[in-house]
Each structure stands twice: as C-alpha cells, then as structure tokens.
Amino acid sequence: MTAHVIDGRAYAADLRAQLTDEVRELVAQGAQPGLATVIAGDSYPAHAYERRVRRLAEQLGLRYVRETLPAEVDEADAVAVVGKLGADPRVSGILVLRPLPPQVSEAALYRALDPLKDIEAVHPVNAGLLALGRPRFVPSTPASVFHLLDRYLTESGRDVQHVYQHSNVVLVGRSANVGKPAIMLAMERGATVLSCDVHSYTAGLLYEHTSHADILIVAAGSPGLIHGEHVAEGVIAVDVGINPVNDPDTGKVRLVGDLDFPSVSERGEAITPVPGGVGPITDVWLLRNTIRAARMALGVATARPLLEGMALQPADGLLNVG
Ligand code: NAD
C-alpha cells in the first residue's frame, strides 16, 4: 500500500479563497476585520510565523497591527499592551506569539485578552468553552488537523460521522495549544480517543498504542518518532510536528515531521506531509478566526438578534455552539 498524500497547501488555498469573499462581504456590511500580534524578544520561529500571518492578513485585505516588545519587557507593560488592543475597535483578533521572555507569564497575558478577540482560545473562558464542546474559537492547529481529516474522509466517499464513531484515534503529545484541544475535537466527533505522552507511566508502550490507531495524530516535536512498523496497515496519519534537522546529503537544514514519512507511507491509507500538510492550513485558520471575531463584533455592535442567530450556527463546521 502507498498512502495517499493529503495536500494541505491545496486545502489552504481553497480556504483562502473563501475568506477573500467573506472579507468582501464584511466590508460591504461596514466592518473591517483587523489582526493584531504581540511579539516579545527575538525568537526566530515566532518572527517567522509573524511574517507569514502578516503577509496573509495583508493579502486578504485585513488591517494589521504588530506590537513588538523588547525581550526585557515587564509583565505589567506586556499586560497593558494586550489590554490596549482589547479596547481598540479596529482590532478584531489578537495573537500572542510564543515563546515569551521568562519574566512574562503566558497565563497573565492570556487572562488580559478580551475573550471576544482571543482567536487562539487561550483565555480561560474560551479554553473552558472548548472543553465543554461549545467553542467560541477553535485554536488554529488542532482545527487544521480536523479540517484535513474531515475533508479527506468526505472526499474519499465515506460517512464521516460513522468513520469517527468507529475509529480509535490515537494522539501523541498533549500540549495545551495542540494536543489537548485536538483530544477535545476527536472526542466531540464520537471517536474512541487515546492520549499518549512521554510523561505517562505507559510511555514505554507508545508503539503498542500507535499500532492500534485507525487515525493517528502526532504532535510531539520529535523528528521521525513514528515509523511504519509502529502503525497499522491502512492507518490515516496526521503529522503536526515541524522539526529542523541537518540534511547530511546537502549539509543544509530542512524541516521534517514526527512521522518517518517513507515507511509510514508504505503502510498507511493516507498521510499528511511536512512541510505542506497541517502548517499551511494553520496559518489560514488564524485569519479565519479573526474574520469570525469581526463578524461577532459586528453582531454585537449592530443588532442583538444577529448575535443570537450566530449562536445557533455550527462553529467553523467543527462542533455545535449554543
Ligand atoms: P510542545 O513541546 O509544547 O508539546 C509536545 C508534547 O509532546 C508534550 O506533551 C510532550 O510531553 C509530548 N512528547 C514529546 N516527546 C514525546 C514522545 N517521544 N512520546 C510521547 N510524547 C512526547 O509542542 P507543541 O507546541 O504541541 O508542538 C508539537 C510539534 O508540532 C512541534 O514540532 C511544533 O513545531 C509543531 N507545531 C506545528 C504546528 C503546525 O501548524 N503544523 C503548529 C504548532 C506546533
């Protein structure tokens, strides 16, 4: 068996085209979506991500604001910046980029976010709503994982709900921003879910667990952690990992995932590549959440019934709200 390679770039391009239309509609209704990022210090990955989302925001015609803070910024000053963006009506969505400098606690900044602009659902209220299965925003990376899966399963002609309800979904890694919310989304779809982590006492049984997965989602940040021999024939495998490694053939750094792509491809039904799988969708999803926040703000500002109507609509086609 050679796995079908799920093309995240093509899915992302489709989403982007939808968003272009949505922005046009919102502008016609008198709203102008705006994204703000807060970045502290000089982390290379944080700056690279900031550049990507800025470019995308500009391409989609969103307002864009970047608050750049020095690495030695006080926590109180960083909190004040987040609060100021919350009060700014030109800003619909706020992204706090990680890592933060050690003297600034993530929790303090997340609590300072306006929950209606918290597009990564890191404020305790939004994280709680997600855990209850009533998300206001679905964080971009786990949302992308399930966007890929939902669309792949639909396109392969299956009854998507039936597939999830009859699947063992195994997740490797349980960070607050990726693994844990992905667990919620898998449970919400009716799957039998197993969460594996290196910090569990059963970590030594990782490959026993992964070999029982119908759908395997790996978000550990460990290059080539899972090989073909660790998965079942016919698995659908989603690779969230992005790991820079030195390529001995070229002497250059390249990005690889947590799956050993060649050997897992030999056994799987479908696989996401790195790069070109989850990553491109994640970037677009952040903008999608920003546009959603702008629409919610428009509802609050113009007509209460519009907001109430929205609460009855499915959130991002992922879960039900209200
Ligand atoms: P993290 O370091 O915060 O969390 C990793 C999790 O995996 C932790 O729970 C850790 O205990 C667990 N883990 C680590 N090694 C393990 C092992 N050998 N066995 C089992 N569990 C293990 O990282 P994160 O923010 O969740 O990101 C994970 C990976 O996904 C990273 O490579 C990151 O670069 C990538 N990422 C990709 C996207 C994207 O858009 N594709 C977005 C965010 C993160």
Side-chain angles (χ1 to χ4, degrees):
M1 179 180 273
T2 303
H4 169 79
V5 180
I6 303 177
D7 186 350
R9 288 197 180 104
Y11 287 8
D14 291 348
L15 272 175
R16 212 163 65 176
Q18 285 170 21
L19 294 185
T20 307
D21 294 343
E22 280 188 43
V23 172
R24 204 175 298 126
E25 272 171 37
L26 269 174
V27 170
Q29 290 170 43
Q32 172 76 52
L35 172 64
T37 54
V38 179
I39 188 162
D42 52 9
S43 149
Y44 176 79
H47 281 271
Y49 186 41
E50 187 277 327
R51 279 193 296 276
R52 289 207 311 272
V53 296
R54 175 172 16 123
R55 204 175 309 128
L56 199 50
E58 287 167 358
Q59 284 167 0
L60 287 168
L62 270 67
R63 269 202 203 98
Y64 185 79
V65 182
R66 181 183 61 186
E67 291 285 353
T68 310
L69 308 175
E72 61 280 4
V73 64
D74 281 349
E75 184 176 278
D77 290 344
V79 164
V81 165
V82 172
K84 184 189 75 175
L85 292 170
D88 185 342
R90 293 166 304 173
V91 171
S92 333
I94 305 168
L95 171 68
V96 176
L97 286 142
R98 295 185 318 144
L100 293 167
Q103 74 281 8
V104 180
S105 106
E106 279 178 19
L109 254 55
Y110 293 169
R111 275 196 308 273
L113 283 163
D114 175 347
L116 294 174
K117 298 185 178 184
D118 169 28
I119 48 177
E120 280 293 43
V122 290
H123 186 282
V125 167
N126 290 327
L129 285 171
L130 179 67
L132 291 170
R134 300 171 52 198
R136 182 180 275 141
F137 300 108
V138 181
S140 55
T141 305
S144 305
V145 167
F146 281 93
H147 180 75
L148 279 165
L149 282 168
D150 292 350
R151 186 165 164 185
Y152 169 71
L153 291 172
T154 305
E155 287 176 351
S156 58
R158 272 113 138 183
D159 174 340
V160 178
Q161 192 175 6
H162 183 273
V163 172
Y164 282 122
Q165 287 175 339
H166 290 78
S167 288
N168 288 317
V169 175
V170 177
L171 294 113
V172 183
R174 62 173 76 118
S175 67
N177 55 317
V178 184
K180 273 186 198 158
I183 292 165
M184 304 297 172
L185 300 180
M187 289 195 308
E188 229 18 72
R189 284 165 170 72
T192 300
V193 180
L194 181 65
S195 160
C196 304
D197 195 275
V198 73
H199 295 120
S200 299
Y201 281 111
T202 57
L205 299 175
L206 175 66
Y207 297 135
E208 162 77 16
H209 296 318
T210 56
S211 69
H212 290 118
D214 302 303
I215 297 175
L216 177 64
I217 300 165
V218 189
S222 179
L225 176 67
I226 310 286
H227 284 243
E229 71 209 66
H230 308 134
V231 301
E233 192 83 31
V235 70
I236 298 173
V238 179
D239 195 345
V240 183
I242 302 178
N243 309 292
V245 294
N246 286 316
D247 187 330
D249 294 337
T250 63
K252 292 186 178 157
V253 172
R254 66 187 179 97
L255 297 178
V256 299
D258 290 352
L259 298 174
D260 177 61
F261 187 85
S263 62
V264 176
S265 297
E266 271 174 30
R267 287 175 68 83
E269 173 195 310
I271 186 168
T272 66
V274 177
V278 175
I281 303 177
T282 300
D283 297 353
V284 182
W285 206 277
L286 188 81
L287 278 298
R288 193 177 193 269
N289 280 352
T290 307
I291 292 163
R292 182 176 165 76
R295 193 175 304 115
M296 286 164 76
L298 185 67
V300 172
T302 57
R304 185 81 201 146
L306 176 60
L307 184 66
E308 282 162 5
M310 281 185 57
L312 299 174
Q313 291 168 11
D316 298 326
L318 287 164
L319 301 166
N320 290 322
V321 288

